Amino acid sequence: MVGMSLMAGASPMLMTMAISPAEAAKRAENFGVAETAAVVFAATYEGKTDLPEDTDTCISRLREGTANAFSVQCTHGSGKYVQSVTRAFRLAVPDSELDGGNGTDTSREFAFETPTRFSGHQCPIYDRWGTNGYNDKNYSALGGACIPNDGWNQTNYQFSDPDAWLYDINNRNGWGSHPDY
């Protein structure tokens, strides 16, 4: 009799414990679907110039204070099993905005033509200007040419020798005309 009373009192708790793994599995499944949708959405638009279009499950928004960074929130499920995932991605900046801001002086001649756009990647030590094949091989994947050592930061730029540049990086990143240009 005592055992039956204990079982009757514990039944609601046992029922909750019995259904919890099934609820967790359903939430995990919905999270997986939402995560996949968010990753595919972000990958579809990452590095492209097309503005993202919302879908039935994913809504994108421009990130505050940015010109081309977006976040996407994808949702899947219903009721108490709804799961949402947010991912960020960045659109490519059009070529016209990535020309390095060169205040090009036409009286100077360089061994190579200045790339129309630069990626966010630095040129490797074995190809400091990307002119020995690095840019040819990686331009599309990186979204532009690598940044030469002399243009990595303002200090390198200011202490570089424009006569040694392989292409024109004058006024790179709006750092002004090089003092020795």
Side-chain angles (χ1 to χ4, degrees), residues 122 147-160 169 172-173 175 178:
Q122 298 174 346
I147 301 168
N149 180 284
D150 289 345
W152 284 0
N153 58 49
Q154 192 170 5
T155 303
N156 284 14
Y157 172 74
Q158 292 295 331
F159 287 100
S160 66
I169 60 167
R172 166 123 176 87
N173 280 349
W175 292 327
H178 192 282

Side-chain angles (χ1 to χ4, degrees), residues 20-105:
S20 290
E23 288 179 339
K26 187 62 179 172
R27 284 190 184 106
E29 179 184 330
N30 289 344
F31 179 81
V33 172
E35 172 75 12
T36 302
V39 168
V40 168
F41 189 97
T44 300
Y45 291 101
E46 179 78 33
K48 306 282 190 312
T49 55
D50 301 332
L51 290 175
E53 295 181 19
D54 294 346
T55 64
D56 293 339
T57 57
C58 297
I59 298 170
S60 63
R61 290 193 166 45
L62 186 64
R63 302 286 300 243
E64 188 176 317
T66 63
N68 62 342
F70 286 78
S71 62
V72 60
Q73 182 175 22
C74 297
T75 305
H76 186 76
S78 60
K80 64 181 183 178
Y81 305 109
V82 171
Q83 295 293 303
S84 293
V85 176
T86 302
R87 292 290 172 264
F89 61 96
R90 184 175 181 189
L91 300 180
V93 178
D95 285 343
S96 61
E97 295 178 30
L98 284 177
D99 65 1
N102 292 13
T104 310
D105 178 358

Side-chain angles (χ1 to χ4, degrees), residues 89-167:
F89 61 96
R90 184 175 181 189
L91 300 180
V93 178
D95 285 343
S96 61
E97 295 178 30
L98 284 177
D99 65 1
N102 292 13
T104 310
D105 178 358
T106 56
S107 65
R108 275 192 178 263
E109 291 187 23
F110 295 92
F112 296 91
E113 186 177 325
T114 303
T116 56
R117 66 187 289 154
F118 290 95
S119 69
H121 298 269
Q122 298 174 346
C123 293
I125 292 173
Y126 62 85
D127 190 358
R128 304 191 106 179
W129 286 81
T131 55
N132 293 329
Y134 185 82
N135 284 339
D136 293 337
K137 181 179 176 186
N138 299 299
Y139 188 91
S140 295
L142 297 178
C146 61
I147 301 168
N149 180 284
D150 289 345
W152 284 0
N153 58 49
Q154 192 170 5
T155 303
N156 284 14
Y157 172 74
Q158 292 295 331
F159 287 100
S160 66
D161 178 11
D163 293 328
W165 293 350
L166 296 183
Y167 51 79

